[in-house]
Amino acid sequence: MNEQTDAQSDHRPPRSPLAAWIGPLLILAAGAAMLVWTWGRWADVFIDFGRELYVPWRIAAGEVLYRDLAYLNGPLSPTFNAALFALFGTGIRTLAIANIVLIGVQIVVLYRLLAFVGSRFSATIASLVFVLLFAFGTQRITGNYNNVMPYSHELTHGIL
């Protein structure tokens, strides 16, 4: 069978090339808007965020996880963040920018996976929910419950 016969047997109209980009462009626009709107309000460094900065900082300074630093979780997140600190400098901005890049990767993976198992429409809606509520969301006075500055990096790194 040729492509025209396949499209007719599906009872679906032929798709335009622009239609495939509407969802990703909408998600990109929502992500950019949320990034601008929430800039700098992702975490409260005085309330429950010190460990996410202190442990990687000490590893980057030469201390050893589990020997010099008491830590209850796995080594992936503090080691990854320590490598970021060693490469780009120790600071909350380094973690924020790295996490924004990781959010972009998460959105691409989420969209492609959901478009594969569902439709592009459902993938767009689910990705928008992720961007608006979880990636940049600051639903509380303290902003430690989003993917830019998570309460615990183990969750966000593990999901990715």
Side-chain angles (χ1 to χ4, degrees), residues 23-77:
L25 289 174
L26 186 61
I27 297 163
L28 181 64
M34 288 298 289
L35 182 64
V36 169
W37 186 41
T38 63
W39 187 263
R41 294 184 287 137
W42 303 303
D44 188 340
V45 295
F46 297 114
I47 300 175
D48 255 353
F49 194 73
R51 181 191 66 149
E52 298 302 307
L53 295 169
Y54 180 75
V55 172
W57 169 48
R58 299 311 310 150
I59 293 171
E63 293 186 18
V64 178
L65 195 63
Y66 307 119
R67 185 189 72 194
D68 300 325
L69 298 166
Y71 196 72
L72 301 176
N73 298 326
L76 173 68
S77 294

Side-chain angles (χ1 to χ4, degrees), residues 6-150:
D6 286 341
Q8 290 172 350
S9 66
D10 274 346
H11 302 291
R12 286 186 271 170
R15 300 179 193 165
S16 72
L18 180 63
W21 288 99
I22 290 174
L25 289 174
L26 186 61
I27 297 163
L28 181 64
M34 288 298 289
L35 182 64
V36 169
W37 186 41
T38 63
W39 187 263
R41 294 184 287 137
W42 303 303
D44 188 340
V45 295
F46 297 114
I47 300 175
D48 255 353
F49 194 73
R51 181 191 66 149
E52 298 302 307
L53 295 169
Y54 180 75
V55 172
W57 169 48
R58 299 311 310 150
I59 293 171
E63 293 186 18
V64 178
L65 195 63
Y66 307 119
R67 185 189 72 194
D68 300 325
L69 298 166
Y71 196 72
L72 301 176
N73 298 326
L76 173 68
S77 294
T79 306
F80 177 75
N81 290 341
L84 291 172
F85 283 173
L87 289 171
F88 303 110
T90 302
I92 194 167
R93 186 167 301 222
T94 301
L95 285 184
I97 292 170
N99 287 338
I100 290 167
V101 170
L102 291 177
I103 287 169
V105 173
Q106 283 178 322
I107 292 168
V108 169
V109 170
L110 178 68
Y111 181 84
R112 293 193 58 159
L113 178 67
L114 293 175
F116 178 75
V117 299
S119 66
R120 286 191 309 230
F121 178 74
S122 63
T124 300
I125 297 300
S127 297
L128 285 171
V129 168
F130 174 74
V131 167
L132 296 173
L133 295 181
F134 304 115
F136 299 101
T138 54
Q139 289 87 11
R140 297 179 168 264
I141 293 171
T142 59
N144 295 6
Y145 305 104
N146 56 55
N147 281 33
V148 178
M149 288 287 130

